[in-house]
Amino acid sequence: MKITAARVIVCCPGRNFVTLKLETDQGLTGVGDATLNGRELAVASYLQDHVIPCLIGRDPQQIEDIWQYLYKGAYWRRGPVTMSAIAAVDTALWDIKAKSAGLPLYQLLGGRSRTGVMAYGHATGRDIDETVDEVLRHQHAGYRAIRAQSGVPGLVKVYGVSTTGRMYEPADNTLPSEHDWDTALYLRHTPRLFEAVRLAVGDETHLLHDVHHRLTPLEAAQLGKSLEPYGLFWMEDPTPAENQEAFRLIRQHTTTPLAVGEVFNSIWDCKQLIEEQLIDYIRTTVTHAGGITHLRRIADLAALYQVRTGSHGATDLSPVCMGAALHFDTWVPNFGVQEYMPHSQEMLSVFPHDWRFDNGMLYCGETPGHGVDIDERLAARYPYQRAYLPVNRLRHDGSLHSW
């Protein structure tokens, strides 16, 4: 079998997605997600100008060799652009291999470890009362795990909360919008939020919260300790993780479980965090961490230290990524939870898929491959629209802060 053609499809059915499609001389095709939120065209160019010429004529069944070729052969290793491009190739190759075998992808990985995948939803509100209402709505919809985010009194814009009451989508401006931030206001407000939420939902529902890299290690430790009475499933991205040792300080002061990794792109970004058991959940994704091949390595390392997976799954990743992630989740023995932010109907129409959500659980399909394709004619109706993620500035002096 040989790869005979490859193309990059960039479309915007509500937000920008980058999709790689591979074709073979046996009529099999495979698709992979290469979306890098706010930097989509960088990955599209990397694929089109540098990767695709190296793929034509290769045997798509040699997944490991192609992965090593693209990773080591470029000399410039790692980084979000490179690893997202490699991930798209890798995911498409696994799609082809599973189709060739006539099996759903999870069977090639080793079969089922579970009947379904627990998902967590996003409950957001402009204030505590609105957030509580949204948490209860998710609970009634069957979610066993719910992420709660609330507006903070005194701040105009807060990550994860729409000012219009609609589903939150951060990449919504042709130039970066600017949010304001005040750590003291946030640290006073967040424990009050979870006191109200826990009182409303009871003890059985898992509650999660995303800090979004905005605290110092000591501030994160203070927040984690103040949230301990409410039994969080996890506190996500409490501090920037470029310095992995920073999590040691947080760990010394709180037993609130820690999750990190949606911005990671290789095993080296989380090696120390895992080996020193400084985190409880690793949130790397199929799309941003080099595909299924590399994500398996991260998950296997994590399993040695009782760290579980909790892959990022917001709509900055396409339904192709979700399809591949659910096959991975169905297999991986040290699964924790899967983030689920529903795609819009126009997004789902561009990406025909066989995975489904039901009563708080996600289920991969039984179609050979990962079960997701792209309708290229329909995708062409949604051309790329430049969009950026926001930036964050401290409200008292305007200095740039982590967003």
Side-chain angles (χ1 to χ4, degrees):
M1 192 186 306
K2 301 293 182 185
I3 298 172
T4 56
R7 56 189 172 277
V8 180
I9 304 132
V10 181
C11 63
C12 186
R15 65 143 299 109
N16 293 312
F17 297 122
V18 179
T19 307
L20 175 69
K21 189 159 194 174
L22 302 181
E23 297 180 357
T24 71
D25 58 0
Q26 294 188 13
L28 296 174
T29 63
V31 295
D33 182 22
T35 306
L36 184 62
N37 201 356
R39 295 294 185 269
E40 299 90 353
L41 296 187
V43 188
S45 175
Y46 191 95
L47 283 166
Q48 188 66 55
D49 299 327
H50 304 291
V51 173
I52 285 177
C54 299
L55 295 177
I56 305 304
R58 292 189 175 273
D59 182 352
Q61 298 176 99
Q62 305 303 316
I63 297 175
E64 184 66 41
D65 183 69
I66 291 175
W67 196 97
Q68 298 292 339
Y69 178 83
L70 295 176
Y71 181 80
K72 294 179 178 177
Y75 185 67
W76 312 106
R77 299 182 183 184
R78 302 165 59 193
V81 174
T82 295
M83 297 304 281
S84 296
I86 292 175
V89 175
D90 187 77
T91 303
L93 294 177
W94 278 102
D95 193 23
I96 291 170
K97 197 173 191 70
K99 288 175 179 175
S100 178
L103 294 171
L105 176 55
Y106 73 84
Q107 293 286 17
L108 267 65
L109 299 176
R112 287 186 176 274
S113 292
R114 57 198 47 82
T115 56
V117 172
M118 184 173 73
Y120 74 84
H122 290 198
T124 70
R126 287 163 287 189
D127 55 31
I128 289 177
D129 289 343
E130 195 170 276
T131 301
V132 169
D133 289 343
E134 278 296 295
V135 170
L136 290 172
R137 185 177 69 81
H138 279 74
Q139 186 184 51
H140 294 155
Y143 282 94
R144 296 166 178 83
I146 304 166
R147 193 189 83 168
Q149 308 290 138
S150 168
V152 176
L155 299 182
V156 178
K157 295 180 180 180
V158 177
Y159 165 77
V161 179
S162 170
T163 57
T164 64
R166 301 193 305 263
M167 182 67 73
Y168 180 70
E169 173 50 68
D172 60 358
N173 290 276
T174 56
L175 289 174
S177 61
E178 298 196 356
H179 293 188
D180 56 343
W181 183 252
D182 188 305
T183 297
L185 293 180
Y186 170 75
L187 290 177
R188 286 197 295 269
H189 176 75
T190 304
R192 297 169 188 164
L193 166 67
F194 279 93
E195 180 181 23
V197 170
R198 181 56 79 193
L199 182 63
V201 301
D203 295 331
E204 298 302 315
T205 299
H206 299 305
L207 297 178
L208 302 82
H209 182 66
D210 187 358
V211 181
H212 221 251
H213 318 101
R214 288 176 163 178
L215 303 179
T216 67
L218 187 59
E219 290 166 347
Q222 292 169 347
L223 179 63
K225 194 165 186 65
S226 69
L227 294 177
E228 285 177 11
Y230 313 114
L232 264 63
F233 187 90
W234 78 34
M235 180 171 70
E236 177 185 342
D237 290 341
T239 195
E242 288 92 341
N243 176 20
Q244 296 183 37
E245 288 188 8
F247 280 71
R248 189 177 297 127
L249 178 60
I250 304 172
R251 196 61 132 184
Q252 289 169 349
H253 294 284
T254 181
T255 59
T256 295
L258 304 176
V260 71
E262 73 180 60
V263 300
F264 292 173
N265 52 76
S266 83
I267 199 168
W268 305 106
D269 296 316
C270 52
K271 180 176 180 289
Q272 182 179 6
L273 290 170
I274 291 171
E275 290 180 340
E276 297 187 19
Q277 295 178 278
L278 301 178
I279 58 172
D280 301 280
Y281 297 89
I282 182 65
R283 301 202 62 245
T284 47
T285 70
V286 170
T287 295
H288 295 151
I292 292 166
T293 296
H294 197 63
L295 190 56
R296 288 180 80 180
R297 295 192 174 102
I298 294 173
D300 284 343
L301 175 64
L304 297 179
Y305 299 93
Q306 300 185 60
V307 173
R308 293 186 284 175
T309 66
S311 290
H312 179 61
T315 51
D316 61 347
L317 300 168
S318 87
V320 174
C321 179
M322 180 59 74
L326 292 179
H327 282 270
F328 186 90
D329 295 339
T330 298
W331 157 76
V332 68
N334 53 319
F335 171 76
V337 71
Q338 172 64 55
E339 181 178 15
Y340 178 54
M341 187 175 179
H343 294 90
S344 69
Q345 190 54 52
E346 60 183 352
M347 293 175 185
L348 294 176
S349 65
V350 171
F351 296 94
H353 61 285
D354 68 351
W355 51 264
R356 62 187 177 87
F357 172 81
D358 181 46
N359 197 35
M361 302 289 284
L362 287 161
Y363 300 90
C364 66
E366 295 294 324
T367 306
H370 58 49
V372 189
D373 204 346
I374 182 168
D375 183 332
E376 295 185 60
R377 288 189 177 183
L378 187 55
R381 300 181 189 175
Y382 299 102
Y384 167 80
Q385 298 180 34
R386 186 178 66 188
Y388 288 93
L389 294 172
V391 298
N392 219 29
R393 292 187 182 276
L394 297 181
R395 70 172 186 149
H396 67 277
D397 68 1
S399 59
L400 205 68
H401 191 67
S402 294
W403 183 83

